[in-house]
Amino acid sequence: MPSTSKQVMFGTPEGVTEGDWFKGHRELHSSGVHRFSGRGISGTGKTGADSIVLSGGYVDDTDAGDEITYTGEGGRDRESGRMVADQSLSDEGNAALVVSQVLGHPVRVTEGLDIRGTTRKRATGGYRYRGLYRVADHWITFGQEGFLICRFRLLKIGPGEVVSPQPIDPASSQSTDFEEQVRRYISQNRLARDSKVARQIKDLYDNTCQICSLRIVVSPTGEAYSEAAHIEALGKPHFGRDITQNVLCLCPNCHAQFDRGALYVTDSFKVFNSITKEFVAELKRIESHKISIEFLRKHRERWGDRLL
């Protein structure tokens, strides 16, 4: 397999048509369909992404044909095939997809066929060129394996459709460099969490964790630290509500485990560890804190088979 990368080129290469079949990465590389050999995303944070390969490597991917929710790169151990770290928008391929969204660059999509293997997956049936897509949206969320992942929504570009640039800062008529784009994206999309709600729950429990009962004292005067954990996550793609019924008072350790699905709460307010399947504790509750069963169920739904 070639080890070098060709120059990034947008659009369908000359001589290639939608539906063409390729035996492997060598043929994809030589035809110009996927120019970065050995990587799922072709492109850089300066140029944008010109192509991706769907290879079944991430459990969070969804493919509805004309609409794809694609997981970015990074965080996965090549030997085990498992996620071992968070992804970041600063990773080269993820940065490239954000830039393509901003600048309106079309992205070639190639699909691996008859994918087999439990750790290192291989497309035993070759690859099919699916055509051009546009990056319509992107966000960061916790994936099924408990780590932060970058997600991208790609939509098929129809015949004659013109893709317009999509500045991350809607008020700006000019594209900026990637660092400024990300800064503005975070500024525009960071949720204004109601500090009154968080403070109310923390005060109600005197900064004591509702799961492990830990109260972290951080000053000689007895001031304590705790974190407000939203049960149904705020932001894309969950859009939970910032109300007291959707907030728990937790210590940092329990908060991290709860956010990543390692801890969950049943309808009867029993806390379980989804990894060990063991009972952890009864969730501490004060009568005036009306925790919503609906939000607890939505939190559990995020982790699917892990809770079975």
Side-chain angles (χ1 to χ4, degrees):
M1 179 182 295
S3 59
T4 58
S5 301
K6 298 183 179 181
Q7 183 178 1
V8 172
M9 186 278 294
F10 299 99
T12 299
E14 185 177 353
V16 175
T17 58
E18 187 175 329
D20 281 354
W21 179 85
F22 300 86
K23 181 179 180 181
H25 273 267
R26 183 183 299 275
E27 289 76 17
L28 289 173
H29 185 271
S30 62
S31 67
V33 171
H34 191 64
R35 293 173 167 264
F36 273 34
S37 179
R39 284 177 52 189
I41 304 173
S42 164
T44 72
K46 293 182 179 180
T47 63
D50 62 349
S51 72
I52 64 171
V53 174
L54 306 178
S55 59
Y58 293 97
V59 297
D60 297 278
D61 286 359
T62 61
D63 184 356
D66 288 351
E67 180 174 340
I68 300 167
T69 303
Y70 181 77
T71 304
E73 67 180 16
R76 186 175 62 173
D77 180 71
R78 288 187 173 273
E79 294 301 322
S80 67
R82 297 178 180 177
M83 292 291 292
V84 295
D86 292 337
Q87 294 184 346
S88 168
L89 284 177
S90 63
D91 291 337
E92 189 76 359
N94 303 332
L97 284 169
V98 173
V99 171
S100 284
Q101 176 188 343
V102 171
L103 300 181
H105 290 323
V107 179
R108 294 185 297 278
V109 172
T110 303
E111 174 188 11
L113 305 174
D114 194 14
I115 296 174
R116 299 184 182 183
T118 56
T119 55
R120 304 193 71 173
K121 298 181 181 294
R122 299 186 62 184
T124 61
Y127 296 85
R128 179 170 62 92
Y129 176 52
R130 292 259 297 262
L132 299 177
Y133 287 66
R134 64 183 178 90
V135 184
D137 198 4
H138 71 278
W139 62 94
I140 297 177
T141 188
F142 285 107
Q144 286 292 317
E145 295 176 273
F147 292 92
L148 286 172
I149 57 174
C150 301
R151 308 205 73 189
F152 299 89
R153 180 170 173 253
L154 292 97
L155 300 178
K156 185 73 176 289
I157 299 175
E161 180 181 352
V162 177
V163 180
S164 301
Q166 185 183 335
I168 291 176
D169 178 6
S172 174
S173 60
Q174 294 183 342
S175 299
T176 59
D177 61 27
F178 176 70
E179 290 78 9
E180 180 66 6
Q181 291 163 10
V182 172
R183 185 191 67 78
R184 290 182 176 177
Y185 167 76
I186 293 172
S187 175
Q188 295 265 336
N189 288 275
R190 183 182 290 120
L191 294 160
R193 306 192 181 197
D194 188 349
S195 60
K196 292 182 180 179
V197 170
R199 188 70 263 161
Q200 182 179 347
I201 295 300
K202 291 180 179 183
D203 288 346
L204 191 62
Y205 290 93
D206 191 26
N207 292 298
T208 301
C209 180
Q210 288 179 251
I211 293 178
C212 71
S213 297
L214 177 65
R215 185 175 187 270
I216 304 174
V217 177
V218 295
S219 76
T221 59
E223 183 179 354
Y225 174 82
S226 65
E227 297 180 353
H230 288 83
I231 301 170
E232 182 184 17
L234 306 186
K236 299 177 184 178
H238 311 287
F239 299 105
R241 300 171 64 189
D242 191 29
I243 55 178
T244 58
Q245 297 94 320
N246 189 37
V247 178
L248 300 177
C249 178
L250 301 180
C251 70
N253 283 347
C254 289
H255 189 183
Q257 291 179 81
F258 184 78
D259 270 357
R260 297 174 183 238
L263 295 177
Y264 68 94
V265 183
T266 68
D267 287 0
S268 57
F269 302 104
K270 296 182 185 297
V271 183
F272 283 86
N273 185 304
S274 68
I275 300 171
T276 65
K277 312 300 182 185
E278 295 177 344
F279 170 75
V280 175
E282 292 276 352
L283 187 73
K284 281 72 177 176
R285 291 179 293 144
I286 293 176
E287 186 176 357
S288 60
H289 184 199
K290 307 299 183 182
I291 300 170
S292 169
I293 299 296
E294 175 189 356
F295 295 139
L296 292 176
R297 290 175 179 173
K298 288 183 177 179
H299 175 265
R300 297 197 301 268
E301 287 173 3
R302 287 185 62 187
W303 309 105
D305 295 341
R306 290 180 61 181
L307 306 189
L308 298 178

